[in-house]
């Protein structure tokens, strides 16, 4: 069958978007995500995001995301901005859009400019039960030592509706990427402290309002950006007293820059771009 899709990205975090508002979630979407996400051999992406009918009547749609390995993810910050942009140009031309998610609750998106959206990402949590994490204490897990890849790591563990492990890094020039990140990323992703896996962010602090981050995402590996990871990283640094609250913090990723504000009440705002790369049809 022919599958019509829209390829979109937020700061290079790219997904294949399927408009499922009339058809519902395809049964084969996990297998499609594994097949179509293969770069050089298929469409190529970090996964598939389905735009489904709203779970509740006052929402505009529901976002369901599937990683490149076919597993269903809990949340995608760059993806939810792209869903808002898609809806804005496909029948929902409003500056405020409400998007349900299966695992991370309702997200409110506000249009800030052409292709720029601010997402209310909800409150972060550093408690073990929220991630979940085991063997690290009940939390808050803002200062923990994690043994992985043969060494001890200074870490902060934060949930943004999905689990994150934030690792401060001492030098900008040596932030891991490519083979260096692939050598250690899976050690965190499959660490026994995280029974559901974990996304791992390595961060260098330029100054309190400017961070540089690299990310290994569970189910997808290294990506050019991770919206929830940027949120979790600023939240972790705010818990440690490194970054201020109620002030935008720029997080530079391989694919672009996101602006993250952690409020005094724990709410997190994320602002960044959402762009269409191309549309197409593929046989599945």
């Amino acid at each position: 069958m022919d599958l019509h899709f829209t390829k979109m990205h937020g700061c290079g975090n790219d997904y294949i978007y399927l408009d499922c508002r009339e058809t519902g979630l395809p049964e084969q979407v996990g297998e499609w995500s594994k097949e179509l996400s293969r770069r050089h051999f298929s469409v190529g992406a970090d996964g598939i995001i389905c735009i489904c009918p709203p779970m509740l009547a006052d929402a505009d749609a529901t976002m369901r995301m599937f990683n490149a390995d076919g597993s269903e993810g809990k949340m995608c910050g760059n993806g939810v901005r792209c869903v808002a942009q898609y809806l804005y140009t496909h029948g929902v031309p409003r500056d405020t859009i409400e998007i349900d998610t299966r695992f991370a609750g309702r997200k409110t998106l506000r249009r800030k400019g052409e292709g720029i959206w601010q997402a209310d990402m909800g409150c972060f949590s550093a408690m073990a039960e929220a991630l979940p994490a085991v063997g690290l204490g009940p939390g808050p897990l803002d200062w923990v030592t994690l043994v992985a890849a043969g060494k001890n790591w200074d870490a902060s563990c934060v949930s943004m509706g999905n689990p994150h492990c934030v690792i401060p890094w001492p030098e900008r020039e040596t932030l891991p990427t490519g083979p260096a990140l692939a050598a250690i990323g899976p050690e965190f992703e499959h660490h026994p402290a995280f029974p559901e896996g974990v996304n791992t962010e390595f961060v260098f602090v330029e100054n309190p309002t400017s961070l540089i981050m690299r990310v290994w995402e569970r189910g997808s590996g290294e990506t050019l950006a991770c919206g929830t990871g940027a949120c979790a990283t600023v939240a972790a640094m705010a818990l440690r007293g490194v970054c201020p609250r109620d002030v935008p913090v720029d997080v530079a990723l391989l694919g672009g820059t996101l602006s993250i504000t952690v409020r005094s009440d724990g709410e997190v705002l994320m602002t960044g771009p959402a762009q269409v790369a191309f549309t197409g049809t593929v046989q599945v």
Side-chain angles (χ1 to χ4, degrees):
M1 61 173 283
D2 287 339
L3 182 68
H4 303 282
F5 66 89
T6 300
K7 181 78 177 293
M8 302 183 73
H9 74 91
C11 292
N13 192 193
D14 58 337
Y15 286 85
I16 299 162
Y17 288 78
L18 305 181
D19 191 338
C20 305
R21 287 177 290 174
E22 294 185 1
T23 60
L25 187 75
E27 291 184 6
Q28 315 96 312
V29 65
E31 289 301 316
W32 290 351
S33 192
K34 289 172 63 176
E35 177 64 26
L36 300 181
S37 295
R38 298 186 306 149
R39 301 189 187 276
H40 310 296
F41 296 97
S42 188
V43 178
D46 292 326
I48 286 179
I49 288 180
C50 296
I51 304 171
C52 299
M55 295 172 63
L56 300 174
D58 59 343
D60 295 300
T62 296
M63 181 181 82
R64 299 279 299 271
M65 65 159 294
F66 294 83
N67 297 308
D69 66 358
S71 62
E72 184 168 8
K74 288 187 174 181
M75 182 56 198
C76 178
N78 291 310
V80 78
R81 294 197 318 276
C82 288
V83 171
Q85 178 66 18
Y86 182 93
L87 291 170
Y88 182 80
T89 57
H90 291 79
V92 192
R94 295 197 298 271
D95 288 340
T96 299
I97 290 178
E98 303 284 348
I99 299 172
D100 287 331
T101 69
R102 185 181 181 191
F103 300 107
R106 172 73 57 84
K107 305 302 174 189
T108 300
L109 283 292
R110 297 177 180 86
R111 188 171 183 264
K112 295 296 182 179
E114 185 61 38
I116 303 295
W117 291 86
Q118 182 182 79
D120 184 342
M121 298 295 289
C123 288
F124 73 89
S125 174
M127 302 307 290
E129 185 179 14
L131 278 113
V134 297
L136 301 176
L141 303 178
D142 48 345
W143 296 88
V144 299
T145 298
L146 202 66
V147 180
K151 63 179 292 187
N152 293 340
W153 301 86
D154 173 27
S156 296
C157 303
V158 174
S159 172
M160 286 299 311
N162 58 354
H164 294 270
C165 179
V166 179
I167 308 293
W169 200 264
E171 299 172 334
R172 173 177 183 166
E173 293 75 18
T174 60
L175 273 169
T177 187
L181 182 54
I184 59 175
E187 299 292 324
F188 290 91
E189 179 182 359
H190 303 295
H191 195 284
F194 308 107
E196 296 181 8
V198 75
N199 305 286
T200 309
E201 289 79 29
F202 301 87
V203 57
F204 171 72
V205 180
E206 277 196 316
N207 61 63
T209 59
S210 180
L211 309 180
I212 302 174
M213 189 189 99
R214 300 293 179 260
V215 59
W216 182 271
E217 294 196 50
R218 61 173 181 175
S220 292
E222 183 175 19
T223 61
L224 297 182
C226 177
T228 56
C231 293
T233 295
V234 177
M237 294 301 102
L239 283 173
R240 290 184 170 210
V242 174
C243 292
R245 298 198 186 219
D246 300 310
V247 175
V249 175
D250 287 340
V251 181
L253 306 130
L254 286 175
T257 299
L258 295 172
S259 176
I260 310 298
T261 300
V262 177
R263 291 176 169 171
S264 297
D265 61 2
E267 290 274 345
V268 183
L269 300 176
M270 172 191 60
T271 305
Q275 300 174 290
V276 173
F278 57 88
T279 61
T281 301
V282 64
Q283 285 214 325
V284 292

